């Protein structure tokens, strides 16, 4: 038990510290690296909760794909770091407002559990015990049955977002020499190469 | 105090011993993989390969390792020191931690977790960070270009690897690696390579791309980028990259073997074959896949970058997506869902 508690405080502490460093680090690349550290430790927290599937998905999706693209873009930015720090205080009120709203929501949520036991009961759906079914199966059973339409809807929203991004960035540039793969594959040895026997001392 | 010994120290000691039992043979295997690579390619090019140090050149990897250890570690003055030093460590650590879930025989696995294959996928998708961090922290043109190439390449091929894993999962119905192997019982023809032959090929090619091996070794294309993302590294920091890359190759071969070639199972379920213990079969199969890696390197020229991207996104991705749907459809139609 004590080891679990220690692990929890380790993961939680590193997550919070890394989160602070994301906004405190001077170099944006370091910020992204701290963000990755925070993701990673949240995955550790999920594992402590017994939600191993969510932990792995968090690592695969956020660390393995999203953060790589973040890093990819941030690495290539050419920013004057001093100038960027300059506007920091300007955005502080907005950030503080968002933080206060999030905090209020969390307080309301947990407050409801404490005040009304009914809310607690509705929250506790009959989830099968960990011994009976792995949490991958458990998630699948809920997600693809009860919430099937919502799942499909979220998929469609993502599809629309993807198409939107493609439409925004797709442009046909003039004067670009593109390789046509079918033409390339259709080329034969005989079309492009001719072997001639050249007699010594004379040209072709 | 009794509880402390039985409850914590003893299990911890056993786990450390098990980890050493995996890591030490793995590092020896990495050393001799470099030797095997040089010998195999030499044989294919009708050369002799390393044959001076020790009998048949067998001590060559040790000599190479010692040479790297003795050299001076140079950190470029423009480099970002911490990230520069963290990158090779990260590569090396990631190539080792994935071995925690690899089953060498029935029950012979360090951590038999339920989401083993996802763990493997997660760790292999993290491999790109070592490369990207090294390229950025070197603060130099060639490493940076190598890192950019590598980031785009590894993300692209991960997508098709993910779909290949999903098709295997559809056949097995479990994310546990031991279950995946056990689902292939019954000899050579029951292994997944046959029903999923196109996926097997895609997985092998994507594994080449994921480990930055020829013909997809653009991140370290020596003709264009000096040595790619580790141009600025010297001594043992370079050595760690090298070890990490080769350990990753062995890891990808091991996952190929588990997913498609029946893991530790013997190819024929009759007497002389079943006498040989599982781990030996497992290692033999890994060696077979690794030979494929080396063979490909000696045979094919390097891809051009746009062709590499085309292969990943326009060929492998649609095809593997189609095959996922097809497999799911067939399993449902014939009521074969496990």
């Amino acid at each position: 038990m004590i080891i679990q508690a220690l692990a929890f405080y380790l993961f939680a502490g590193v997550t919070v510290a890394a989160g602070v460093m994301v906004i405190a680090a001077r170099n944006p690349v370091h910020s992204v690296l701290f963000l990755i550290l925070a993701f990673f430790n949240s995955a550790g927290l999920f594992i402590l909760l017994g939600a191993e599937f969510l932990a792995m998905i968090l690592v695969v999706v956020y660390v393995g794909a999203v953060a790589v693209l973040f890093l990819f873009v941030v690495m290539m930015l050419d920013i004057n770091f001093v100038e960027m720090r300059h506007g920091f205080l300007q955005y502080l009120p907005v950030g503080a407002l968002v933080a206060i709203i999030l905090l209020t929501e969390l307080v309301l949520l947990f407050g409801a559990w404490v005040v009304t036991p009914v809310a607690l009961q509705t929250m506790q759906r009959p989830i099968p015990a960990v011994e009976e079914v792995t949490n991958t199966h458990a998630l699948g059973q809920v997600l693809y049955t009860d919430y099937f339409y919502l799942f499909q809807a979220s998929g469609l929203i993502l599809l629309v977002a993807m198409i939107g991004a493609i439409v925004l960035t797709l442009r046909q540039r003039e004067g670009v020499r593109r390789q046509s793969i079918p033409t390339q594959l259709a080329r034969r040895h005989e079309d492009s190469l001719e072997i001639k026997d050249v007699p010594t001392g004379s040209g072709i | 105090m009794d509880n402390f010994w039985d409850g914590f120290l003893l299990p911890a000691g056993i786990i450390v011993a098990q980890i050493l039992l995996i890591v030490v043979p793995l590092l020896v295997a990495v050393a001799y993989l470099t030797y095997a690579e040089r010998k195999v390619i030499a044989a294919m090019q009708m050369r002799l390969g390393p044959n001076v140090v020790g009998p048949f050149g067998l001590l060559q990897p040790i000599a190479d390792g010692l040479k790297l250890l003795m050299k001076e570690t140079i950190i470029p003055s423009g480099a970002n020191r911490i990230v520069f030093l963290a990158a090779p460590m990260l590569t090396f650590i990631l190539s080792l931690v994935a071995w925690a879930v690899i089953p060498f025989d029935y029950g012979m696995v360090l951590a038999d977790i339920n989401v083993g294959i996802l763990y493997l996928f997660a760790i292999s998708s993290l491999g790109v960070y070592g490369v990207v961090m090294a390229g950025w922290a070197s603060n130099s043109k060639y490493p940076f270009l190598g890192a950019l190439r590598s980031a785009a390449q590894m993300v692209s091929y991960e997508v098709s690897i993910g779909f290949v894993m999903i098709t295997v999962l559809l056949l097995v119905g479990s994310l546990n690696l031991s279950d995946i192997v056990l689902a292939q019982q019954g000899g050579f023809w029951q292994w997944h390579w046959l029903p999923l032959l196109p996926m097997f090929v895609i997985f092998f090619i994507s594994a080449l791309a994921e480990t930055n091996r020829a013909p997809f070794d653009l991140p370290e294309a020596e003709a264009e980028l000096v040595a790619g993302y580790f141009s600025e590294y010297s001594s043992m920091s370079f050595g760690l990259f090298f070890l990490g890359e080769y350990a990753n190759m062995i890891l990808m071969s091991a996952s190929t073997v588990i997913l498609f070639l029946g893991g530790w199972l013997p190819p024929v379920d009759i007497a002389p074959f079943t006498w040989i213990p599982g781990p030996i079969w497992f290692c033999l199969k890994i060696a077979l896949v690794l030979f494929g890696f080396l063979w490909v390197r000696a045979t094919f020229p390097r891809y051009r970058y746009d062709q590499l991207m085309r292969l990943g996104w326009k060929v492998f991705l649609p095809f593997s997506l189609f095959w996922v749907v097809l497999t799911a459809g067939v399993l449902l139609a014939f009521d074969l869902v496990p």
Side-chain angles (χ1 to χ4, degrees):
Chain A
M1 230 29 228
I2 192 161
I3 288 198
Q4 282 200 347
L6 281 178
F8 169 77
Y9 284 115
L10 179 72
F11 286 136
V14 175
T15 309
V16 173
V20 170
M21 286 309 287
V22 171
I23 51 169
R26 284 179 176 275
N27 192 324
V29 174
H30 290 172
S31 290
V32 178
L33 292 176
F34 277 117
L35 184 67
I36 293 160
L37 188 63
F39 281 148
F40 216 81
N41 282 282
S42 329
L45 288 176
F46 271 130
I47 287 182
L48 286 183
L49 281 174
E52 64 231 11
F53 182 75
L54 284 182
M56 290 305 148
I57 290 297
L58 185 76
V59 175
V60 170
V61 175
Y62 284 92
V63 184
V66 175
V68 173
L69 297 180
F70 271 12
L71 197 62
F72 196 87
V73 174
V74 168
M75 266 191 340
M76 288 194 290
L77 293 179
D78 185 22
I79 318 170
N80 187 346
F81 299 136
V82 182
E83 216 170 90
M84 215 178 68
R85 302 288 297 174
H86 198 66
F88 182 66
L89 280 180
Q90 214 179 324
Y91 294 111
L92 201 60
V94 184
L97 188 69
V98 173
I100 288 170
I101 291 174
L102 281 177
L103 185 68
T104 321
E105 282 176 354
L106 283 177
V107 166
L108 284 178
L109 196 67
F110 287 111
W113 291 356
V114 176
V115 176
T116 52
V118 188
L120 200 62
Q121 280 167 8
T122 52
M123 184 198 71
Q124 283 174 336
R125 287 184 45 82
I127 298 167
V130 184
E131 295 78 31
E132 288 170 29
V133 57
T134 66
N135 59 46
T136 317
H137 280 117
L139 265 175
Q141 277 162 9
V142 178
L143 198 60
Y144 299 123
T145 51
D146 298 2
Y147 296 101
F148 182 68
Y149 291 111
L150 291 175
F151 179 74
Q152 291 276 316
S154 59
L156 279 178
I157 291 171
L158 285 175
L159 180 67
V160 170
M162 191 177 85
I163 294 173
I166 293 173
V167 168
L168 281 178
T169 51
L170 184 72
R171 56 195 163 128
Q172 292 291 340
R173 278 189 297 172
E174 295 294 319
V176 178
R177 289 160 62 90
R178 280 216 172 73
Q179 182 182 25
S180 160
I181 300 291
T183 332
Q184 183 75 37
L185 293 179
R187 278 179 65 163
R188 287 277 146 255
H189 193 242
E190 300 84 52
D191 307 339
S192 50
L193 200 70
E194 193 180 352
I195 297 176
K196 290 210 167 170
D197 204 2
V198 185
T200 316
S202 64
I204 294 172
Chain B
M1 217 53 217
D2 224 26
N3 185 18
F4 183 67
W5 170 250
D6 283 342
F8 297 122
L9 277 188
L10 194 63
I14 291 175
I15 289 176
V16 170
Q18 284 172 332
I19 291 172
L20 285 178
L21 262 179
I22 295 176
V23 169
V24 173
L26 177 67
L27 290 181
V28 175
V30 165
Y32 280 91
L33 178 59
T34 61
Y35 173 77
E37 174 167 39
R38 292 167 73 177
K39 273 290 190 193
V40 166
I41 293 179
M44 285 178 184
Q45 296 169 347
M46 295 206 272
R47 293 183 285 117
L48 282 178
N51 64 347
V52 176
V53 190
F56 307 105
L58 272 172
L59 296 178
Q60 184 71 45
I62 296 163
D64 286 344
L66 275 179
K67 183 198 77 175
L68 279 177
L69 267 178
M70 305 296 270
K71 287 200 165 186
E72 184 192 355
T73 308
I74 298 167
I75 301 175
S77 57
N80 193 313
R81 287 181 76 96
I82 297 173
V83 183
F84 185 82
L85 289 176
M89 289 186 219
L90 188 72
T91 307
F92 185 62
I93 292 170
L94 285 176
S95 65
L96 293 186
V97 288
W99 285 88
V101 295
I102 301 285
F104 295 91
D105 197 351
Y106 183 69
M108 204 169 156
V109 44
L110 185 58
D112 197 14
I113 57 176
N114 285 327
V115 288
I117 193 167
L118 270 178
Y119 175 81
L120 215 55
F121 187 55
I123 296 296
S124 78
S125 68
L126 292 182
V128 65
Y129 283 109
V131 176
V132 171
M133 281 163 69
W136 176 78
S138 297
N139 202 2
S140 162
K141 292 182 201 71
Y142 295 124
F144 189 64
L145 281 173
L148 290 184
R149 283 182 174 188
S150 175
Q153 173 181 332
M154 288 169 96
V155 169
S156 311
Y157 281 84
E158 233 149 60
V159 184
S160 49
I161 286 188
F163 280 120
V164 172
M165 285 180 171
I166 290 175
T167 37
V168 175
L169 295 186
L170 284 172
L171 288 191
V172 178
S174 166
L175 292 159
N176 186 306
L177 290 174
S178 299
D179 289 348
I180 291 175
V181 174
L182 288 177
Q184 306 179 51
Q185 255 166 346
F188 189 64
W189 301 106
Q190 298 294 318
W191 297 349
H192 283 151
W193 69 272
L194 190 62
L196 296 175
L197 187 61
M199 290 284 111
F200 176 50
V201 175
I202 286 186
F203 190 82
F204 183 70
I205 299 175
S206 302
L208 288 176
E210 188 76 4
T211 48
N212 294 330
R213 289 288 299 178
F216 305 108
D217 54 348
L218 286 125
E220 48 199 271
E222 66 273 2
E224 309 151 31
L225 297 179
V226 192
Y229 59 90
F230 51 64
S231 297
E232 301 287 347
Y233 283 85
S234 59
S235 164
M236 213 48 213
S237 53
F238 168 79
L240 284 181
F241 270 121
F242 212 73
L243 288 174
E245 288 219 332
Y246 279 80
N248 260 333
M249 273 170 67
I250 303 181
L251 178 71
M252 287 313 276
S253 313
S255 30
T256 315
V257 168
I258 289 168
L259 291 177
F260 294 102
L261 297 178
W264 65 79
L265 300 170
V268 188
D269 247 349
I270 45 175
F273 294 100
T274 45
W275 291 341
I276 300 172
I280 293 185
W281 277 122
F282 190 61
C283 294
L284 282 177
K285 288 174 188 174
I286 290 181
L288 182 77
V289 180
L290 281 174
F291 179 74
F293 272 63
L294 306 182
W295 193 2
V296 165
R297 176 170 174 194
T299 312
F300 291 108
R302 187 176 294 133
Y303 259 66
R304 211 173 60 201
Y305 201 74
D306 60 323
Q307 291 172 334
L308 172 97
M309 282 293 151
R310 177 181 170 274
L311 185 70
W313 290 106
K314 292 189 177 172
V315 181
F316 282 0
L317 178 61
F319 187 79
S320 50
L321 195 56
F322 161 74
W323 203 267
V324 169
V325 176
L326 184 76
T327 313
V330 168
L331 287 178
L332 260 186
F334 294 100
D335 208 17
L336 292 168
V337 182

